[in-house]
Amino acid sequence: MKSGFIGFFLTIILLLLTSRTEADECKDAVQKILSEQLKGVTGCITKLNLNDAKERADKMSCVLRCVLSLEGIIAPDGLLDPVAALAFVEKFLPANVREKATMLMMQCQDAAANLKPEEENCSSYDAVIRCAMNAMNKFC
């Protein structure tokens, strides 16, 4: 009887350790997004010819704008493309969190109303970037 109980108990533990939850899938998806964006940061630093640390720090908003442009979230005219932002959510996130993620990302549209693509330091993008980062932290 004891060996049957121990086997059952071990099976339950094994199932708990190996089963993936929806939250795990969401966290993995967010991690993949962040990983891809990090690759984009490196490419954008090169593309923008930002050679020293101070220059990179001063233009970090431009680097992140570039990353969002590579992802299609920022259109070629420098403005937010809400359709592309929603497609991005659809592409990367599991179905069970897409509705919540979409609602969170839609809140960033207000911040995008004040974008000034022509500015040199890209500071008008700070609010959109901050909003998107906060939204991603709430997806899962």
Side-chain angles (χ1 to χ4, degrees):
M1 181 69 172
K2 271 189 175 181
S3 65
F5 176 74
I6 292 172
F8 174 75
F9 184 69
L10 290 174
T11 301
I12 295 297
I13 290 175
L14 182 62
L15 285 173
L16 289 173
L17 291 175
T18 58
S19 65
R20 299 197 30 84
T21 65
E22 289 179 348
D24 291 333
E25 290 176 26
C26 180
K27 289 175 186 173
D28 288 347
V30 170
Q31 182 62 40
K32 182 177 179 180
I33 291 168
L34 293 173
S35 177
E36 290 299 314
Q37 289 176 336
L38 187 57
K39 290 176 193 173
V41 166
T42 304
C44 285
I45 286 172
T46 302
K47 180 180 179 178
L48 297 171
N49 200 26
L50 303 175
N51 298 316
D52 62 62
K54 180 174 178 3
E55 207 175 15
R56 287 190 292 270
D58 290 346
K59 297 222 174 182
M60 187 48 68
S61 293
C62 293
V63 172
L64 296 175
R65 172 191 168 183
C66 174
V67 171
L68 293 175
S69 295
L70 292 175
E71 293 169 343
I73 295 171
I74 299 292
D77 64 1
L79 300 176
L80 179 73
D81 182 342
V83 174
L86 295 178
F88 183 82
V89 167
E90 290 282 323
K91 177 180 176 181
F92 283 101
L93 294 174
N96 64 307
V97 296
R98 287 182 191 149
E99 185 176 342
K100 178 181 179 182
T102 298
M103 287 180 7
L104 289 166
M105 293 301 284
M106 298 277 288
Q107 294 172 3
C108 298
Q109 286 186 359
D110 290 340
N114 299 315
L115 295 178
K116 298 178 181 98
E118 70 284 347
E119 68 186 350
E120 187 167 327
N121 67 355
C122 306
S123 62
S124 67
Y125 291 82
D126 289 347
V128 173
I129 293 165
R130 199 170 21 261
C131 181
M133 292 173 86
N134 288 335
M136 283 182 59
N137 284 329
K138 296 175 185 174
F139 285 173
C140 304

